[in-house]
DNA sequence: GTCTATATTCTGATAGAC
DNA sequence: GTCTATCAGAATATAGAC
């Protein structure tokens, strides 16, 4: 870790790492200060409180995490399958760099149902997206009752995200090591869009 | 809630509910005592500590959650598709009664990587199951490199569990209410086994 | 077994010197 | 801006009466 960072950024980086790994409630401000290599008082000097520091980290995480979605959802040049492919690839890459980000976001979102949802809901409305229109066209009206487009979105997100969330469980059940897990995630970049397209046939 | 329970069970029920909803770190022993309608001292009298109480709840949750898997995995009378169908139906029913159980288990498992995994890994080894054999037969050796059976298990678990974990997000993105969500979960009991079988073609 | 009161430790936040 | 020292409150756990 390079040391030519502002104190504020050192604190934020440490906070992000620990919040992600342990969650809000289990994180102690002293741990953050230690990891950042600064004193506890400085944390409050820069961010006023643990709560405010957390909110900042969380907002940024949400923004980063949903950044791609908006663009991909509304890409005008890409086909349906290309959109699935782009989402799978970019998210698998991103989560690999921050493996705890999905479970972090989802569990903190559960703990605070109303605090951050507005932030997201503005960003991504399925019904207003080009992806949604393409889905409708592909599925066809006669099958719309049976297979709601939201099913497909659940499946897409679940297929991408779940292996990372369930990793400790899956590694035991399947007896896979880290290298093998990485290989499988790489495979899934191509498999997931294929699977989703099969569901639409 | 009937009141003819032992004090120990009253505490355990209250603890289970609050641990599930808020997670270990955010749960206060006083909240459990209040919810159980007893005094704080009694909690320590029966369970010695918050930690020990949690371990007991967690162990039982894991056992319940993985109870079905073992049986379904090794059913000798059921086909592959029937196994997928049984797993989807029973888990969707079970999670509906305790909606927080997946995120609870997965987030606490992340926080304590080594404490409980042994408990699970004993219960469920994919490679030793009849389901695994059936999968191998269906997939065929020539496709085994491309599509590891573990992919299929990840997909099955993800398709079942993710909608509940991602519910706050999905409800916003898709603008669905509770009734609609329930309907979709009901649909998925039939859709998921169908989707998984398609992946194997 | 159950309670009230209390001990003890932990934790977020601040005061004040430099 | 950064630190040391400390406060105030919260939270787990126990002592001891009933």
């Amino acid at each position: 870790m390079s040391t030519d960072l502002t104190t504020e950024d050192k604190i934020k980086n440490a906070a992000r790492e620990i919040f992600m790994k342990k969650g809000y409630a289990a994180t102690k401000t002293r741990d953050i200060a230690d990891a950042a290599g600064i004193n506890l008082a400085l944390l409050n000097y820069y961010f006023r409180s643990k709560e405010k520091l957390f909110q900042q980290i969380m907002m940024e995480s949400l923004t980063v995490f949903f950044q791609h979605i908006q663009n991909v959802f509304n890409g005008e040049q890409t086909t349906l399958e290309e959109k699935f492919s782009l989402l799978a690839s970019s998210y698998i890459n991103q989560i690999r760099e921050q493996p705890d980000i999905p479970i972090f976001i989802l569990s903190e979102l559960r703990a605070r149902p109303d605090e951050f949802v507005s932030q997201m809901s503005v960003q991504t409305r399925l019904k207003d997206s080009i992806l949604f229109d393409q889905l409708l066209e592909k599925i066809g009206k006669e099958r719309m009752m049976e297979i709601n487009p939201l099913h497909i979105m659940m499946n897409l997100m679940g297929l991408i995200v779940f292996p990372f969330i369930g990793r400790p469980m899956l590694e035991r059940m399947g007896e896979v090591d880290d290298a093998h897990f990485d290989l499988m995630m790489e495979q899934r970049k191509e498999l997931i869009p294929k699977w989703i397209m099969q569901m639409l046939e």
Side-chain angles (χ1 to χ4, degrees), chain A:
Chain A
M1 193 185 295
S2 61
T3 181
D4 53 352
L5 293 168
T6 65
T7 301
E8 191 171 347
D9 280 337
K10 279 195 275 185
I11 297 172
K12 248 162 84 167
N13 287 342
R16 180 164 33 246
E17 189 178 352
I18 300 182
F19 277 139
M20 292 247 177
K21 194 164 135 198
K22 315 218 291 181
Y24 177 79
T27 296
K28 314 301 170 195
T29 51
R30 279 178 172 78
D31 296 339
I32 296 175
D34 289 350
I38 54 96
N39 190 276
L40 174 58
L42 272 184
L43 188 151
N44 291 286
Y45 173 77
Y46 278 100
F47 296 93
R48 296 188 49 85
S49 73
K50 174 187 176 183
E51 177 66 25
K52 291 227 189 301
L53 173 55
F54 172 78
Q55 285 170 359
Q56 214 165 312
I57 299 289
M58 184 65 167
M59 282 296 187
E60 290 178 13
S61 300
L62 284 174
T63 302
V64 169
F65 197 72
F66 290 98
Q67 211 166 29
H68 292 314
I69 286 193
Q70 185 76 313
N71 301 328
V72 177
F73 270 32
N74 291 308
E76 296 188 358
Q77 311 294 334
T78 49
T79 66
L80 199 55
E81 185 164 7
E82 285 167 345
K83 285 186 172 63
F84 296 146
S85 186
L86 282 171
L87 287 169
S89 292
S90 59
Y91 273 106
I92 286 173
N93 284 339
Q94 185 188 338
I95 298 174
R96 219 196 248 136
E97 286 175 21
Q98 273 190 320
D100 282 325
I101 199 174
I103 187 98
F104 168 73
I105 289 180
L106 293 170
S107 60
E108 296 299 336
L109 229 51
R110 168 192 59 151
R112 307 148 174 262
D114 298 323
E115 196 171 345
F116 298 105
V117 272
S118 56
Q119 166 77 1
M120 311 165 12
S121 61
V122 178
Q123 295 202 10
T124 315
R125 285 247 188 254
L126 182 56
K127 278 186 182 163
D128 303 333
S129 67
I130 293 180
L131 172 61
F132 186 77
D133 296 337
Q134 290 173 310
L135 259 179
L136 288 194
E137 191 182 4
K138 177 78 182 176
I139 293 177
K141 278 187 183 173
E142 64 284 356
R143 293 177 65 217
M144 275 286 292
M145 283 300 102
E146 173 206 359
I147 183 168
N148 188 312
L150 194 53
H151 276 305
I152 301 300
M153 293 314 301
M154 287 180 179
N155 298 354
L156 179 60
M157 301 298 292
L159 291 176
I160 293 172
V161 160
F162 183 78
F164 295 93
I165 298 180
R167 183 168 182 174
M169 224 172 59
L170 294 163
E171 286 195 336
R172 288 294 174 131
M173 284 180 54
E175 291 170 332
V176 290
D177 56 23
D178 288 356
H180 194 175
F181 185 86
D182 279 351
L183 172 63
M184 291 185 69
M185 294 309 106
E186 205 56 41
Q187 293 175 323
R188 290 177 80 82
K189 291 180 184 175
E190 292 190 355
L191 288 170
I192 289 174
K194 204 187 75 186
W195 288 327
I196 299 284
M197 290 307 286
Q198 283 175 359
M199 293 177 187
L200 298 176
E201 292 306 326

